[in-house]
Amino acid sequence: MIDQSSFRNAESLIRFGTEKLSSISNVPRLEAEVLLSDLLKINPIKFHTDDIGISPNVMDKFESMIESRFRGMPIAYLTGKKEFWSLNFEINPSVLVPRPETELLIENAIELLKYRESPRILELGTGSGVISIVLHKELVSPEITAIDISSEALNVAENNAHKYQITDINFLVSDWFREIKDEKYDLIISNPPYVDKENLSNEELFIIDMEPDIALYSESDGTSDLEFIIRNSSMFLEHGGWLMLEHAYDQSDYCMKEMKKAGYSEIKK
């Protein structure tokens, strides 16, 4: 427990958080400032310009957040939000925390479809909805269906869509293609489970251990879901349609080989 008599202002509390997180974070002070600024609903810059008093209630909540972060809870779960594509999205433990590499997947999709009006898009495993929502904002009148096996994840995605006044993404509970009936799309896009849990180091496991297993891990060295999507996606694509997948750094050759077997051409890393 914090000895509250030792903490008279925000700076002393931040020093406590920084010291506690120094063994598990590369940026412990930044994380402490993010958590405390979220509690106080202020811009973190004020910690460097103002002497901010702290109530006992805030001290207790901050200590709890720091302890949760120390045990591996992602910052986004503690604050309930994450910035992605310069937008703020609701995030909770039912969805993955969005990562910068997924922005590259989106950039490639935008480049492919930026001059096409009303492209039909299917996102597999939408999670928090960030991919579909960004594509909806960046493309010309896209028709998007976003599926996930988790109804809890879809609730988060729908909340995020409503936040940005998007009402025409078709969010659908489905185990991959199971609920997709005779539909054809110009693009199928997915950030599927592709992590091989057995090959993770303790440090790597610590970073992602509190995120949902169903969205992270896949069998057959992490390739099972990738293989299923590649093998079955062509029947849901228009002639000349595209499949875009996020995968691990060492799965590129595997995906290219499987795509070639499935009849894809113009395969690119």
Side-chain angles (χ1 to χ4, degrees):
M1 294 290 291
I2 289 179
D3 177 6
Q4 295 187 354
S5 64
S6 301
F7 300 99
R8 299 179 179 177
N9 57 20
E11 178 57 32
S12 58
L13 205 58
I14 289 169
R15 285 200 298 268
F16 159 79
T18 301
E19 182 177 354
K20 178 76 173 180
L21 299 181
S22 60
S23 63
I24 63 99
S25 172
N26 293 325
V27 286
R29 182 178 176 97
L30 175 61
E31 292 194 0
E33 288 186 358
V34 167
L35 292 175
L36 187 55
S37 66
D38 183 71
L39 277 177
L40 297 174
K41 307 303 179 189
I42 64 172
N43 191 314
I45 194 68
K46 288 187 174 293
F47 296 139
H48 302 273
T49 60
D50 301 351
D51 184 13
I52 300 170
I54 300 295
S55 71
N57 183 49
V58 168
M59 288 185 191
D60 290 341
K61 290 181 178 179
F62 182 73
E63 181 185 20
S64 177
M65 294 176 84
I66 289 293
E67 184 60 34
S68 294
R69 178 66 189 121
F70 181 75
R71 295 197 306 268
M73 182 74 73
I75 291 281
Y77 290 168
L78 293 168
T79 62
K81 58 181 181 290
K82 176 70 174 179
E83 183 176 311
F84 181 88
W85 204 267
S86 299
L87 303 169
N88 278 309
F89 290 94
E90 173 190 328
I91 301 296
N92 68 33
S94 67
V95 299
L96 290 181
V97 177
R99 289 164 168 78
E101 51 265 33
T102 302
E103 293 192 350
L104 178 60
L105 186 71
I106 293 172
E107 288 172 2
N108 288 332
I110 292 171
E111 182 65 24
L112 176 70
L113 297 174
K114 61 184 178 182
Y115 299 120
R116 184 173 302 190
E117 187 170 355
S118 303
R120 303 197 73 226
I121 300 169
L122 172 64
E123 185 194 358
L124 301 173
T126 192
S128 60
V130 296
I131 292 176
S132 286
I133 290 167
V134 171
L135 290 179
H136 190 283
K137 294 177 72 68
E138 297 290 343
L139 297 174
V140 180
S141 304
E143 300 175 17
I144 301 175
T145 295
I147 69 99
D148 204 287
I149 196 172
S150 166
S151 57
E152 291 83 4
L154 285 178
N155 286 337
V156 176
E158 289 175 335
N159 288 342
N160 282 321
H162 291 157
K163 177 179 179 179
Y164 292 105
Q165 291 81 50
I166 296 171
T167 59
D168 56 349
I169 295 176
N170 178 28
F171 290 106
L172 181 66
V173 176
S174 181
D175 183 0
W176 297 134
F177 299 102
R178 182 168 296 173
E179 302 302 321
I180 306 299
K181 309 296 185 184
D182 302 322
E183 299 287 342
K184 298 284 187 179
Y185 299 91
D186 300 301
L187 171 68
I188 296 175
I189 189 169
S190 182
N191 175 17
Y194 57 74
V195 177
D196 178 10
K197 191 172 186 178
E198 299 302 316
N199 284 333
L200 292 178
S201 67
N202 289 335
E203 182 179 357
E204 291 169 328
L205 186 60
F206 177 82
I207 293 172
I208 63 176
D209 192 43
M210 293 192 180
E211 297 185 67
D213 286 6
I214 195 171
L216 281 170
Y217 303 119
S218 191
E219 297 178 354
S220 302
D221 300 324
T223 64
S224 178
D225 292 287
L226 287 164
E227 190 271 338
F228 181 86
I229 292 170
I230 293 169
R231 177 162 45 88
N232 290 279
S233 56
S234 60
M235 69 184 74
F236 299 96
L237 284 170
E238 296 282 6
H239 180 71
W242 289 81
L243 171 65
M244 288 189 177
L245 296 171
E246 183 172 324
H247 53 73
Y249 73 94
D250 58 353
Q251 293 171 335
S252 178
D253 290 342
Y254 172 84
C255 289
M256 294 182 73
K257 180 185 70 175
E258 291 300 312
M259 284 182 169
K260 187 174 182 179
K261 284 166 54 178
Y264 284 94
S265 58
E266 297 187 44
I267 303 169
K268 302 175 183 178
K269 293 186 179 181

